[in-house]
């Protein structure tokens, strides 16, 4: 006999489940965060591993080759950023002197225009320089801590990625055993859609980062900003945190330019470069590269960023968009949850499927998965 529960009881149970889920995510953060990133990297490397295996490369060797490739690329990027950051810290004394002269000019301006005279100019200057030195110390400490965390992740995440790729067939059969036979077709389609979404997002994001890094660096070089390539690459990497990353990436070179030149207009020009690049990235580069297979409305994306940051910090903000995209695919594939998928979608995403444009990266992965599906069908026949 089916037991019917009142609506308010279901809502209470749902809220308790969400609270327990958040508590679980925070409690086991040290385990779940590397596992989540490993899953993203495994989905990204899956097509490369399939291609290597087609050429009769043993699966363990194919996995090791792809992992070594991505570790080398990430290692070179981190080495470049760290070397540039160390060079930047050597100029803190010069920057402090520039800030001292800038403060004096501001005080003279305030006195001449408004008659405001500071009570103790020397104390103000010393406090400003001390604050700058404390900020530099905190940045260095955070950098060392982050580097230690990255080194620890480099030892754990590759192991997770290797296991996920090596046992992928075993995991697929495990999922089959959890689902009834008449629903396995829908499950396969849902998993395929999730793989397409994650792969297109990550691959497209990497291409976008490279393009944005070149545009940022070119604009800063034209303005004569010191460490232009460093700030251009750093700001492009921060685009993995939508909306907020570009703000952080533009403030650092703008403040350095203000401290170096002492002219507010130069700092505004630096910010203008990032604003123009951000406009091109949001309206032309990302839609062309990634396409609009699954588009999340900005309001849902901002909420996801805030929730991800509250649960997992910076790692949660990075994971927020891929996770909410996967949730949207799951919601769209399960009829009772379709309203939630509609709520997360952007206005353009409700158009008929044949009217949607696909990015080049998504087309590439769609052809790969169609080929894999045909190969499986031929094997079964």
């Amino acid at each position: 006999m089916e037991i019917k529960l009142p609506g308010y009881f279901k809502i209470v149970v749902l809220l308790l489940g969400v609270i327990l889920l958040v508590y679980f995510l925070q409690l086991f953060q040290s385990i779940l965060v590397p596992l989540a990133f490993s899953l993203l990297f495994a989905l990204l490397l899956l097509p490369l591993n399939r291609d290597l295996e087609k050429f009769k490369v043993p699966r363990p060797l194919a996995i090791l080759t792809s992992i070594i490739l991505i570790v080398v690329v990430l290692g070179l990027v981190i080495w470049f950023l760290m070397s540039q950051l160390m060079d930047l810290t050597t100029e803190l004394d010069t920057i402090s002197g520039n800030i001292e002269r800038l403060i004096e000019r501001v005080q003279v301006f305030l006195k001449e225009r408004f008659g405001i005279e500071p009570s103790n100019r020397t104390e103000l200057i010393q406090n400003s320089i001390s604050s700058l030195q404390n900020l530099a110390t905190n940045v260095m400490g955070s950098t060392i801590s982050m580097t230690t965390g990255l080194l620890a992740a480099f030892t754990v995440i590759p192991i997770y990625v290797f296991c996920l790729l090596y046992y992928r067939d075993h995991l697929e059969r495990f999922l089959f055993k959890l689902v009834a036979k008449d629903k396995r077709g829908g499950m396969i389609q849902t998993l395929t859609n999730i793989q397409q979404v994650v792969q297109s997002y990550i691959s497209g994001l990497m291409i976008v980062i490279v393009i944005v890094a070149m545009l940022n660096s070119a604009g800063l070089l034209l303005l004569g900003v010191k460490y232009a390539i460093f700030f251009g690459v750093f700001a492009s990497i921060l685009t993995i945190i939508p909306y907020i990353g570009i703000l952080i990436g533009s403030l650092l070179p703008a403040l350095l330019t203000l401290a170096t030149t002492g002219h507010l207009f130069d700092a505004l020009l630096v910010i203008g470069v990032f604003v123009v690049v951000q406009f091109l990235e949001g309206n032309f580069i990302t839609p062309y590269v990634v396409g609009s297979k699954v588009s999340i409305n900005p309001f849902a994306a901002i909420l996801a960023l805030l929730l991800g940051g509250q649960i997992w910090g910076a790692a949660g903000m990075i994971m927020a968009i891929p996770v909410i995209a996967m949730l949207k695919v799951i919601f769209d594939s399960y009829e009772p949850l379709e309203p939630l998928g509609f709520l997360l979608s952007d206005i353009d995403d409700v158009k008929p499927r044949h009217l949607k444009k696909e990015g080049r990266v998504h087309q590439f992965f769609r052809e790969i998965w169609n080929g894999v599906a045909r190969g499986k069908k031929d094997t079964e026949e």
Side-chain angles (χ1 to χ4, degrees):
M1 179 181 297
E2 182 180 359
I3 301 177
K4 294 184 178 181
L5 300 176
Y8 68 87
F9 183 79
K10 295 180 180 179
I11 295 176
V12 171
V13 172
L14 179 61
L15 292 177
L16 290 176
V18 172
I19 294 173
L20 289 175
L21 176 61
V22 172
Y23 176 76
F24 176 81
L25 292 175
Q26 292 180 333
L27 182 63
F28 297 97
Q29 177 179 352
S30 59
I31 299 175
L32 295 177
V33 170
L35 186 60
F37 279 101
S38 301
L39 180 60
L40 291 181
F41 283 122
L43 291 174
L44 177 65
L45 297 176
L46 182 58
L48 176 60
N49 280 269
R50 292 187 185 276
D51 292 337
L52 291 176
E53 291 175 14
K54 288 180 181 178
F55 290 101
K56 306 301 181 181
V57 178
R59 177 171 293 186
L61 182 59
I63 298 173
L64 288 176
T65 302
S66 58
I67 291 177
I68 291 174
L69 177 63
I70 196 169
V71 167
V72 169
V73 173
L74 291 178
L76 290 175
V77 173
I78 293 174
W79 171 80
F80 170 77
L81 294 177
M82 291 298 298
S83 61
Q84 292 291 306
L85 184 60
M86 295 300 295
D87 293 339
L88 180 60
T89 56
T90 59
E91 298 190 10
L92 285 179
D93 294 336
T94 303
I95 295 174
S96 300
N98 293 334
I99 292 178
E100 181 178 348
R101 290 188 291 272
L102 178 62
I103 292 176
E104 292 178 353
R105 291 173 54 188
V106 171
Q107 290 177 345
V108 171
F109 173 80
L110 293 176
K111 180 179 179 180
E112 293 177 351
R113 291 295 182 89
F114 305 101
I116 301 175
E117 186 172 355
S119 57
N120 193 336
R121 178 183 302 178
T122 303
E123 182 180 355
L124 178 61
I125 294 174
Q126 291 177 350
N127 291 336
S128 300
I129 295 176
S130 177
S131 299
L132 180 63
Q133 293 175 345
N134 292 334
L135 177 62
T137 303
N138 293 333
V139 170
M140 288 298 298
S142 300
T143 303
I144 294 174
S145 177
M146 183 177 63
T147 304
T148 305
L150 289 175
L151 292 176
F154 276 153
T155 60
V156 175
I157 291 180
I159 298 175
Y160 289 166
V161 173
F162 183 91
C163 294
L164 290 172
L165 291 174
Y166 186 79
Y167 295 106
R168 61 179 185 265
D169 296 333
H170 186 71
L171 294 174
E172 184 178 358
R173 287 194 293 268
F174 166 73
L175 293 176
F176 281 175
K177 293 181 178 295
L178 292 177
V179 181
K181 292 184 179 180
D182 57 336
K183 297 182 180 180
R184 290 178 180 175
M187 186 198 70
I188 293 175
Q189 184 61 42
T190 301
L191 292 177
T192 301
N193 292 338
I194 292 176
Q195 291 170 347
Q196 290 176 351
V197 168
V198 174
Q199 288 172 345
S200 62
Y201 174 79
I202 299 176
S203 302
L205 181 62
M206 290 185 174
I207 297 175
V208 169
I209 287 176
V210 173
I211 297 174
V212 171
M214 292 188 294
L215 293 176
N216 288 338
S217 302
L220 296 178
L221 286 172
L222 290 176
L223 295 178
V225 177
K226 298 188 67 175
Y227 304 100
I229 298 178
F230 165 73
F231 285 119
V233 174
F234 180 71
S236 67
I237 294 175
L238 289 179
T239 56
I240 60 179
I241 305 177
Y243 309 109
I244 301 175
I246 190 65
L247 176 63
I248 301 174
S250 62
L251 287 179
L252 293 177
L255 293 175
L256 178 63
T257 302
L258 180 61
T260 304
T261 64
H263 298 291
L264 181 61
F265 182 73
D266 294 335
L268 293 177
L269 286 178
V270 172
I271 295 177
V273 168
F274 288 99
V275 170
V276 172
V277 174
Q278 174 68 15
F279 174 79
L280 295 175
E281 183 268 330
N283 294 276
F284 299 99
I285 300 174
T286 297
Y288 180 80
V289 174
V290 181
S292 58
K293 174 65 177 177
V294 174
S295 55
I296 307 298
N297 67 75
F299 180 66
I302 293 173
L303 286 179
L305 287 172
L306 295 176
L307 291 174
Q310 185 67 30
I311 297 174
W312 281 354
M317 298 180 73
I318 296 172
M319 293 290 301
I321 302 301
V323 169
I324 198 173
M326 288 188 286
L327 289 177
K328 185 182 182 303
V329 173
I330 297 174
F331 293 159
D332 290 339
S333 62
Y334 185 53
E335 185 175 355
L337 298 179
E338 283 184 358
L340 293 178
F342 176 82
L343 182 63
L344 296 177
S345 63
D346 202 355
I347 296 177
D348 295 334
D349 198 39
V350 299
K351 295 179 180 179
R353 188 172 298 275
H354 66 279
L355 295 179
K356 296 180 182 180
K357 294 182 180 180
E358 294 180 345
R360 298 297 181 86
V361 175
H362 176 263
Q363 291 178 358
F364 170 73
F365 282 110
R366 180 171 55 82
E367 293 174 359
I368 289 178
W369 284 106
N370 288 340
V372 172
R374 287 194 297 268
K376 287 184 177 180
K377 183 177 180 180
D378 295 340
T379 302
E380 293 176 356
E381 293 179 351

